[in-house]
């Protein structure tokens, strides 16, 4: 790999891997038929800053290793920046942490000049096939996406991906629509409060 000469073209051959765990600046073009691996961890932030064009050919891959990275909502990392990016069918894969949180999802958008990875909220409404947990998931997705944070969010963040039963248990406890006891208790408290208010007005 020759990143020092503006006229040079670095080619990643099919079956070969070029790994980045820090910032590398390139002067020329880059063509990938193999794998570009970016390592992201608390101590590493792989990134390629290329002055020329980056061509990602069909059959090539971009792999992102996030193992050891503690996900933070809306956190993003720049992976590639270039004068132009030509995507001819690259396949993107994200090596997830050993214990991935059910709450988070990684997106890798590619545009004409950059490739990045961003931590977003998972679509919680699709985790359970049951109607009420699904509705609870939709509302929590909107709540967290809007910046909401509370004890329920912490519980969801502590669940591993694929823990459908754990998600449904959280929904059962915190969603009034699925917990008759919660709904009944709320109505009873509301009725009791209004009776006290009414008695106070009548008494005075």
């Amino acid at each position: 790999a020759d990143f020092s000469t503006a006229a040079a073209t670095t080619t990643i051959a099919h079956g070969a891997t070029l790994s980045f765990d820090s910032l590398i600046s390139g002067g020329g073009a880059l063509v990938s038929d193999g794998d570009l691996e970016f390592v992201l961890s608390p101590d590493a932030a792989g990134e390629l800053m290329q002055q020329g064009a980056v061509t990602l050919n069909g059959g090539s891959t971009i792999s992102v290793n996030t193992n050891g990275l503690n996900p933070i909502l809306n956190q993003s990392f720049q992976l590639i920046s270039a004068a132009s990016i030509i995507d001819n069918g690259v396949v993107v894969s994200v090596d997830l942490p050993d214990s991935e949180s059910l709450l988070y999802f990684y997106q890798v958008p590619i545009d004409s000049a950059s490739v990045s990875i961003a931590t977003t909220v998972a679509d919680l409404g699709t985790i359970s096939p049951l109607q009420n947990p699904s509705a609870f998931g939709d509302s929590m997705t909107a709540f967290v996406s809007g910046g909401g944070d509370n004890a329920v969010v912490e519980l969801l963040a502590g669940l591993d991906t694929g823990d459908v039963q754990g998600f449904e248990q959280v929904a059962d406890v915190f969603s009034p629509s699925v917990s008759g006891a919660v709904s009944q208790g709320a109505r009873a408290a509301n009725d009791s409060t209004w009776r006290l208010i009414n008695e106070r007005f009548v008494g005075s």
Side-chain angles (χ1 to χ4, degrees), residues 125-161:
T126 62
I127 293 175
S128 172
L130 302 178
Q131 181 177 0
N132 286 327
S134 178
F136 169 77
D138 286 337
S139 59
M140 286 306 299
T141 298
F143 176 70
V144 178
S145 297
D149 188 14
N150 58 20
V152 184
V153 176
E154 291 182 10
L155 282 173
L156 293 174
L159 296 176
D160 292 337
T161 295

Side-chain angles (χ1 to χ4, degrees), residues 93-146:
S93 65
V94 180
D95 296 328
L96 299 171
D98 291 332
S99 180
E100 185 199 1
S101 170
L102 170 146
L103 184 61
Y104 299 110
F105 177 75
Y106 290 101
Q107 290 183 328
V108 184
I110 300 176
D111 60 34
S112 61
S114 70
V115 178
S116 59
I117 181 170
T119 307
T120 60
V121 183
D123 187 356
L124 302 177
T126 62
I127 293 175
S128 172
L130 302 178
Q131 181 177 0
N132 286 327
S134 178
F136 169 77
D138 286 337
S139 59
M140 286 306 299
T141 298
F143 176 70
V144 178
S145 297

Side-chain angles (χ1 to χ4, degrees), residues 18-64:
L18 185 60
S19 183
F20 301 88
D21 61 6
S22 62
L23 172 63
I24 298 295
S25 297
L30 182 141
V31 176
S32 180
D33 292 308
D35 178 43
L36 297 176
E37 179 191 48
F38 296 88
V39 180
L40 301 178
S41 70
D43 301 318
E47 180 182 350
L48 171 64
M49 187 180 296
Q50 196 75 12
Q51 291 180 15
V54 172
T55 302
L56 307 169
N57 285 328
S60 66
T61 60
I62 293 176
S63 60
V64 186

